[in-house]
PDB file of all heavy atoms in Angstrom:
ATOM      1  N   HIS D   2       0.854  -1.184   0.000  1.00  0.00           N
ATOM      2  CA  HIS D   2       0.000   0.000   0.000  1.00  0.00           C
ATOM      3  C   HIS D   2       0.896   1.241   0.000  1.00  0.00           C
ATOM      4  O   HIS D   2       1.795   1.350   0.850  1.00  0.00           O
ATOM      5  CB  HIS D   2      -0.882  -0.024   1.249  1.00  0.00           C
ATOM      6  CG  HIS D   2      -1.979   0.981   1.256  1.00  0.00           C
ATOM      7  ND1 HIS D   2      -1.749   2.335   1.430  1.00  0.00           N
ATOM      8  CD2 HIS D   2      -3.322   0.849   1.110  1.00  0.00           C
ATOM      9  CE1 HIS D   2      -2.901   2.980   1.398  1.00  0.00           C
ATOM     10  NE2 HIS D   2      -3.872   2.095   1.200  1.00  0.00           N
ATOM     11  N   PRO D   3       0.666   2.191  -0.914  1.00  0.00           N
ATOM     12  CA  PRO D   3       1.550   3.363  -1.003  1.00  0.00           C
ATOM     13  C   PRO D   3       1.685   4.154   0.298  1.00  0.00           C
ATOM     14  O   PRO D   3       2.790   4.593   0.647  1.00  0.00           O
ATOM     15  CB  PRO D   3       0.894   4.206  -2.104  1.00  0.00           C
ATOM     16  CG  PRO D   3       0.205   3.207  -2.967  1.00  0.00           C
ATOM     17  CD  PRO D   3      -0.306   2.155  -2.032  1.00  0.00           C
ATOM     18  N   ASP D   4       0.594   4.342   1.051  1.00  0.00           N
ATOM     19  CA  ASP D   4       0.691   5.119   2.299  1.00  0.00           C
ATOM     20  C   ASP D   4       1.503   4.375   3.359  1.00  0.00           C
ATOM     21  O   ASP D   4       2.172   4.994   4.196  1.00  0.00           O
ATOM     22  CB  ASP D   4      -0.708   5.437   2.856  1.00  0.00           C
ATOM     23  CG  ASP D   4      -1.471   6.413   1.971  1.00  0.00           C
ATOM     24  OD1 ASP D   4      -0.810   7.168   1.222  1.00  0.00           O
ATOM     25  OD2 ASP D   4      -2.718   6.429   2.022  1.00  0.00           O
ATOM     26  N   VAL D   5       1.420   3.045   3.333  1.00  0.00           N
ATOM     27  CA  VAL D   5       2.211   2.234   4.263  1.00  0.00           C
ATOM     28  C   VAL D   5       3.694   2.334   3.894  1.00  0.00           C
ATOM     29  O   VAL D   5       4.555   2.558   4.750  1.00  0.00           O
ATOM     30  CB  VAL D   5       1.728   0.765   4.255  1.00  0.00           C
ATOM     31  CG1 VAL D   5       2.674  -0.129   5.055  1.00  0.00           C
ATOM     32  CG2 VAL D   5       0.309   0.664   4.821  1.00  0.00           C
ATOM     33  N   ILE D   6       3.995   2.211   2.604  1.00  0.00           N
ATOM     34  CA  ILE D   6       5.379   2.331   2.124  1.00  0.00           C
ATOM     35  C   ILE D   6       5.992   3.664   2.565  1.00  0.00           C
ATOM     36  O   ILE D   6       7.110   3.709   3.082  1.00  0.00           O
ATOM     37  CB  ILE D   6       5.424   2.227   0.574  1.00  0.00           C
ATOM     38  CG1 ILE D   6       5.076   0.805   0.116  1.00  0.00           C
ATOM     39  CG2 ILE D   6       6.811   2.640   0.036  1.00  0.00           C
ATOM     40  CD1 ILE D   6       4.904   0.650  -1.397  1.00  0.00           C
ATOM     41  N   CYS D   7       5.231   4.745   2.390  1.00  0.00           N
ATOM     42  CA  CYS D   7       5.768   6.075   2.712  1.00  0.00           C
ATOM     43  C   CYS D   7       6.001   6.240   4.204  1.00  0.00           C
ATOM     44  O   CYS D   7       7.003   6.834   4.621  1.00  0.00           O
ATOM     45  CB  CYS D   7       4.839   7.164   2.186  1.00  0.00           C
ATOM     46  SG  CYS D   7       4.804   7.185   0.390  1.00  0.00           S
ATOM     47  N   GLY D   8       5.097   5.701   5.016  1.00  0.00           N
ATOM     48  CA  GLY D   8       5.301   5.756   6.465  1.00  0.00           C
ATOM     49  C   GLY D   8       6.554   5.002   6.863  1.00  0.00           C
ATOM     50  O   GLY D   8       7.380   5.498   7.647  1.00  0.00           O
ATOM     51  N   GLN D   9       6.750   3.806   6.297  1.00  0.00           N
ATOM     52  CA  GLN D   9       7.924   3.002   6.648  1.00  0.00           C
ATOM     53  C   GLN D   9       9.211   3.685   6.193  1.00  0.00           C
ATOM     54  O   GLN D   9      10.264   3.542   6.824  1.00  0.00           O
ATOM     55  CB  GLN D   9       7.868   1.580   6.054  1.00  0.00           C
ATOM     56  CG  GLN D   9       6.571   0.813   6.108  1.00  0.00           C
ATOM     57  CD  GLN D   9       5.837   0.721   7.426  1.00  0.00           C
ATOM     58  OE1 GLN D   9       5.976   1.579   8.296  1.00  0.00           O
ATOM     59  NE2 GLN D   9       5.019  -0.322   7.577  1.00  0.00           N
ATOM     60  N   GLY D  10       9.128   4.427   5.115  1.00  0.00           N
ATOM     61  CA  GLY D  10      10.321   5.109   4.597  1.00  0.00           C
ATOM     62  C   GLY D  10      10.878   6.164   5.534  1.00  0.00           C
ATOM     63  O   GLY D  10      12.039   6.569   5.422  1.00  0.00           O
ATOM     64  N   THR D  11      10.067   6.582   6.513  1.00  0.00           N
ATOM     65  CA  THR D  11      10.541   7.600   7.453  1.00  0.00           C
ATOM     66  C   THR D  11      11.632   7.049   8.376  1.00  0.00           C
ATOM     67  O   THR D  11      12.391   7.819   8.963  1.00  0.00           O
ATOM     68  CB  THR D  11       9.379   8.173   8.309  1.00  0.00           C
ATOM     69  OG1 THR D  11       8.788   7.127   9.098  1.00  0.00           O
ATOM     70  CG2 THR D  11       8.314   8.813   7.428  1.00  0.00           C
ATOM     71  N   VAL D  12      11.738   5.725   8.497  1.00  0.00           N
ATOM     72  CA  VAL D  12      12.822   5.112   9.281  1.00  0.00           C
ATOM     73  C   VAL D  12      14.165   5.539   8.684  1.00  0.00           C
ATOM     74  O   VAL D  12      15.039   6.079   9.376  1.00  0.00           O
ATOM     75  CB  VAL D  12      12.731   3.562   9.262  1.00  0.00           C
ATOM     76  CG1 VAL D  12      13.916   2.947  10.002  1.00  0.00           C
ATOM     77  CG2 VAL D  12      11.427   3.072   9.861  1.00  0.00           C
ATOM     78  N   ALA D  13      14.332   5.296   7.387  1.00  0.00           N
ATOM     79  CA  ALA D  13      15.595   5.627   6.714  1.00  0.00           C
ATOM     80  C   ALA D  13      15.778   7.138   6.610  1.00  0.00           C
ATOM     81  O   ALA D  13      16.898   7.644   6.732  1.00  0.00           O
ATOM     82  CB  ALA D  13      15.629   4.983   5.329  1.00  0.00           C
ATOM     83  N   LEU D  14      14.681   7.865   6.410  1.00  0.00           N
ATOM     84  CA  LEU D  14      14.748   9.331   6.344  1.00  0.00           C
ATOM     85  C   LEU D  14      15.420   9.880   7.613  1.00  0.00           C
ATOM     86  O   LEU D  14      16.359  10.681   7.549  1.00  0.00           O
ATOM     87  CB  LEU D  14      13.339   9.907   6.211  1.00  0.00           C
ATOM     88  CG  LEU D  14      13.218  11.436   6.195  1.00  0.00           C
ATOM     89  CD1 LEU D  14      13.505  11.973   4.807  1.00  0.00           C
ATOM     90  CD2 LEU D  14      11.839  11.885   6.636  1.00  0.00           C
ATOM     91  N   GLU D  15      14.951   9.424   8.773  1.00  0.00           N
ATOM     92  CA  GLU D  15      15.529   9.877  10.046  1.00  0.00           C
ATOM     93  C   GLU D  15      16.988   9.463  10.173  1.00  0.00           C
ATOM     94  O   GLU D  15      17.825  10.232  10.665  1.00  0.00           O
ATOM     95  CB  GLU D  15      14.744   9.286  11.223  1.00  0.00           C
ATOM     96  CG  GLU D  15      13.345   9.849  11.373  1.00  0.00           C
ATOM     97  CD  GLU D  15      12.540   9.144  12.464  1.00  0.00           C
ATOM     98  OE1 GLU D  15      13.091   8.283  13.178  1.00  0.00           O
ATOM     99  OE2 GLU D  15      11.341   9.459  12.579  1.00  0.00           O
ATOM    100  N   LEU D  16      17.296   8.254   9.734  1.00  0.00           N
ATOM    101  CA  LEU D  16      18.675   7.766   9.815  1.00  0.00           C
ATOM    102  C   LEU D  16      19.616   8.667   9.014  1.00  0.00           C
ATOM    103  O   LEU D  16      20.661   9.097   9.514  1.00  0.00           O
ATOM    104  CB  LEU D  16      18.745   6.321   9.310  1.00  0.00           C
ATOM    105  CG  LEU D  16      20.132   5.669   9.227  1.00  0.00           C
ATOM    106  CD1 LEU D  16      20.810   5.623  10.593  1.00  0.00           C
ATOM    107  CD2 LEU D  16      20.033   4.259   8.649  1.00  0.00           C
ATOM    108  N   PHE D  17      19.235   8.978   7.772  1.00  0.00           N
ATOM    109  CA  PHE D  17      20.072   9.866   6.934  1.00  0.00           C
ATOM    110  C   PHE D  17      20.170  11.264   7.549  1.00  0.00           C
ATOM    111  O   PHE D  17      21.230  11.881   7.529  1.00  0.00           O
ATOM    112  CB  PHE D  17      19.521   9.958   5.510  1.00  0.00           C
ATOM    113  CG  PHE D  17      19.709   8.706   4.695  1.00  0.00           C
ATOM    114  CD1 PHE D  17      18.614   8.009   4.198  1.00  0.00           C
ATOM    115  CD2 PHE D  17      20.973   8.214   4.421  1.00  0.00           C
ATOM    116  CE1 PHE D  17      18.776   6.850   3.447  1.00  0.00           C
ATOM    117  CE2 PHE D  17      21.162   7.051   3.670  1.00  0.00           C
ATOM    118  CZ  PHE D  17      20.056   6.367   3.182  1.00  0.00           C
ATOM    119  N   GLU D  18      19.059  11.764   8.093  1.00  0.00           N
ATOM    120  CA  GLU D  18      19.082  13.092   8.724  1.00  0.00           C
ATOM    121  C   GLU D  18      20.046  13.098   9.908  1.00  0.00           C
ATOM    122  O   GLU D  18      20.736  14.086  10.154  1.00  0.00           O
ATOM    123  CB  GLU D  18      17.675  13.483   9.203  1.00  0.00           C
ATOM    124  CG  GLU D  18      16.755  13.898   8.077  1.00  0.00           C
ATOM    125  CD  GLU D  18      15.315  14.170   8.525  1.00  0.00           C
ATOM    126  OE1 GLU D  18      14.975  13.882   9.702  1.00  0.00           O
ATOM    127  OE2 GLU D  18      14.540  14.663   7.698  1.00  0.00           O
ATOM    128  N   ASP D  19      20.107  11.980  10.641  1.00  0.00           N
ATOM    129  CA  ASP D  19      20.945  11.928  11.847  1.00  0.00           C
ATOM    130  C   ASP D  19      22.418  11.657  11.565  1.00  0.00           C
ATOM    131  O   ASP D  19      23.281  12.168  12.279  1.00  0.00           O
ATOM    132  CB  ASP D  19      20.418  10.854  12.815  1.00  0.00           C
ATOM    133  CG  ASP D  19      19.129  11.279  13.504  1.00  0.00           C
ATOM    134  OD1 ASP D  19      18.732  12.450  13.353  1.00  0.00           O
ATOM    135  OD2 ASP D  19      18.509  10.437  14.189  1.00  0.00           O
ATOM    136  N   VAL D  20      22.721  10.834  10.568  1.00  0.00           N
ATOM    137  CA  VAL D  20      24.134  10.455  10.365  1.00  0.00           C
ATOM    138  C   VAL D  20      24.721  10.887   9.026  1.00  0.00           C
ATOM    139  O   VAL D  20      25.908  10.678   8.777  1.00  0.00           O
ATOM    140  CB  VAL D  20      24.353   8.924  10.556  1.00  0.00           C
ATOM    141  CG1 VAL D  20      23.817   8.466  11.904  1.00  0.00           C
ATOM    142  CG2 VAL D  20      23.719   8.115   9.428  1.00  0.00           C
ATOM    143  N   GLY D  21      23.916  11.488   8.171  1.00  0.00           N
ATOM    144  CA  GLY D  21      24.441  11.927   6.872  1.00  0.00           C
ATOM    145  C   GLY D  21      24.426  10.814   5.837  1.00  0.00           C
ATOM    146  O   GLY D  21      23.800   9.769   6.038  1.00  0.00           O
ATOM    147  N   GLU D  22      25.147  11.032   4.753  1.00  0.00           N
ATOM    148  CA  GLU D  22      25.113  10.066   3.645  1.00  0.00           C
ATOM    149  C   GLU D  22      25.791   8.752   4.031  1.00  0.00           C
ATOM    150  O   GLU D  22      26.685   8.723   4.875  1.00  0.00           O
ATOM    151  CB  GLU D  22      25.773  10.677   2.409  1.00  0.00           C
ATOM    152  CG  GLU D  22      24.984  11.857   1.860  1.00  0.00           C
ATOM    153  CD  GLU D  22      25.314  12.180   0.411  1.00  0.00           C
ATOM    154  OE1 GLU D  22      25.856  11.310  -0.293  1.00  0.00           O
ATOM    155  OE2 GLU D  22      25.016  13.315   0.002  1.00  0.00           O
ATOM    156  N   LEU D  23      25.329   7.677   3.409  1.00  0.00           N
ATOM    157  CA  LEU D  23      25.876   6.346   3.684  1.00  0.00           C
ATOM    158  C   LEU D  23      26.296   5.682   2.370  1.00  0.00           C
ATOM    159  O   LEU D  23      25.803   6.047   1.300  1.00  0.00           O
ATOM    160  CB  LEU D  23      24.813   5.473   4.370  1.00  0.00           C
ATOM    161  CG  LEU D  23      24.354   5.923   5.768  1.00  0.00           C
ATOM    162  CD1 LEU D  23      23.113   5.153   6.197  1.00  0.00           C
ATOM    163  CD2 LEU D  23      25.481   5.743   6.790  1.00  0.00           C
ATOM    164  N   ASP D  24      27.198   4.717   2.480  1.00  0.00           N
ATOM    165  CA  ASP D  24      27.598   3.949   1.286  1.00  0.00           C
ATOM    166  C   ASP D  24      26.614   2.813   1.020  1.00  0.00           C
ATOM    167  O   ASP D  24      26.310   2.483  -0.120  1.00  0.00           O
ATOM    168  CB  ASP D  24      28.997   3.349   1.486  1.00  0.00           C
ATOM    169  CG  ASP D  24      30.041   4.420   1.745  1.00  0.00           C
ATOM    170  OD1 ASP D  24      30.060   5.411   0.986  1.00  0.00           O
ATOM    171  OD2 ASP D  24      30.803   4.294   2.721  1.00  0.00           O
ATOM    172  N   VAL D  25      26.146   2.212   2.125  1.00  0.00           N
ATOM    173  CA  VAL D  25      25.254   1.047   2.028  1.00  0.00           C
ATOM    174  C   VAL D  25      24.152   1.188   3.078  1.00  0.00           C
ATOM    175  O   VAL D  25      24.404   1.656   4.190  1.00  0.00           O
ATOM    176  CB  VAL D  25      26.028  -0.278   2.313  1.00  0.00           C
ATOM    177  CG1 VAL D  25      25.099  -1.488   2.223  1.00  0.00           C
ATOM    178  CG2 VAL D  25      27.190  -0.451   1.337  1.00  0.00           C
ATOM    179  N   LEU D  26      22.938   0.781   2.706  1.00  0.00           N
ATOM    180  CA  LEU D  26      21.848   0.701   3.680  1.00  0.00           C
ATOM    181  C   LEU D  26      21.282  -0.712   3.611  1.00  0.00           C
ATOM    182  O   LEU D  26      20.796  -1.139   2.558  1.00  0.00           O
ATOM    183  CB  LEU D  26      20.756   1.734   3.367  1.00  0.00           C
ATOM    184  CG  LEU D  26      19.534   1.706   4.304  1.00  0.00           C
ATOM    185  CD1 LEU D  26      19.935   2.037   5.745  1.00  0.00           C
ATOM    186  CD2 LEU D  26      18.456   2.673   3.830  1.00  0.00           C
ATOM    187  N   LEU D  27      21.375  -1.449   4.718  1.00  0.00           N
ATOM    188  CA  LEU D  27      20.862  -2.819   4.783  1.00  0.00           C
ATOM    189  C   LEU D  27      19.495  -2.805   5.447  1.00  0.00           C
ATOM    190  O   LEU D  27      19.331  -2.250   6.534  1.00  0.00           O
ATOM    191  CB  LEU D  27      21.828  -3.697   5.581  1.00  0.00           C
ATOM    192  CG  LEU D  27      23.214  -3.896   4.941  1.00  0.00           C
ATOM    193  CD1 LEU D  27      24.203  -4.453   5.958  1.00  0.00           C
ATOM    194  CD2 LEU D  27      23.123  -4.823   3.732  1.00  0.00           C
ATOM    195  N   VAL D  28      18.519  -3.427   4.774  1.00  0.00           N
ATOM    196  CA  VAL D  28      17.122  -3.333   5.221  1.00  0.00           C
ATOM    197  C   VAL D  28      16.477  -4.713   5.228  1.00  0.00           C
ATOM    198  O   VAL D  28      16.579  -5.467   4.253  1.00  0.00           O
ATOM    199  CB  VAL D  28      16.302  -2.421   4.266  1.00  0.00           C
ATOM    200  CG1 VAL D  28      14.908  -2.175   4.826  1.00  0.00           C
ATOM    201  CG2 VAL D  28      17.011  -1.098   4.004  1.00  0.00           C
ATOM    202  N   CYS D  29      15.790  -5.050   6.342  1.00  0.00           N
ATOM    203  CA  CYS D  29      15.042  -6.312   6.421  1.00  0.00           C
ATOM    204  C   CYS D  29      13.961  -6.333   5.338  1.00  0.00           C
ATOM    205  O   CYS D  29      13.314  -5.320   5.096  1.00  0.00           O
ATOM    206  CB  CYS D  29      14.343  -6.431   7.778  1.00  0.00           C
ATOM    207  SG  CYS D  29      15.335  -5.876   9.148  1.00  0.00           S
ATOM    208  N   LEU D  30      13.750  -7.501   4.757  1.00  0.00           N
ATOM    209  CA  LEU D  30      12.727  -7.641   3.715  1.00  0.00           C
ATOM    210  C   LEU D  30      11.763  -8.773   4.052  1.00  0.00           C
ATOM    211  O   LEU D  30      12.156  -9.932   4.191  1.00  0.00           O
ATOM    212  CB  LEU D  30      13.395  -7.905   2.359  1.00  0.00           C
ATOM    213  CG  LEU D  30      12.473  -8.311   1.201  1.00  0.00           C
ATOM    214  CD1 LEU D  30      11.408  -7.257   0.928  1.00  0.00           C
ATOM    215  CD2 LEU D  30      13.280  -8.573  -0.064  1.00  0.00           C
ATOM    216  N   GLY D  31      10.482  -8.407   4.208  1.00  0.00           N
ATOM    217  CA  GLY D  31       9.405  -9.386   4.334  1.00  0.00           C
ATOM    218  C   GLY D  31       8.514  -9.172   3.120  1.00  0.00           C
ATOM    219  O   GLY D  31       8.744  -9.704   2.043  1.00  0.00           O
ATOM    220  N   GLY D  32       7.515  -8.309   3.280  1.00  0.00           N
ATOM    221  CA  GLY D  32       6.644  -7.984   2.151  1.00  0.00           C
ATOM    222  C   GLY D  32       7.167  -6.841   1.300  1.00  0.00           C
ATOM    223  O   GLY D  32       6.731  -6.643   0.168  1.00  0.00           O
ATOM    224  N   GLY D  33       8.091  -6.058   1.867  1.00  0.00           N
ATOM    225  CA  GLY D  33       8.743  -5.025   1.061  1.00  0.00           C
ATOM    226  C   GLY D  33       8.391  -3.584   1.371  1.00  0.00           C
ATOM    227  O   GLY D  33       8.892  -2.670   0.716  1.00  0.00           O
ATOM    228  N   GLY D  34       7.546  -3.342   2.379  1.00  0.00           N
ATOM    229  CA  GLY D  34       7.178  -1.959   2.696  1.00  0.00           C
ATOM    230  C   GLY D  34       8.350  -1.145   3.201  1.00  0.00           C
ATOM    231  O   GLY D  34       8.597  -0.023   2.750  1.00  0.00           O
TER     232      GLY D  34
END
């Protein structure tokens, strides 16, 4: 669901805001949100 995807994306958004750019981002994958 697009609204679910966008909400979940705030996890990485906060991470980048807090630590700056990264070379790699490792993310758990179940259904893909």
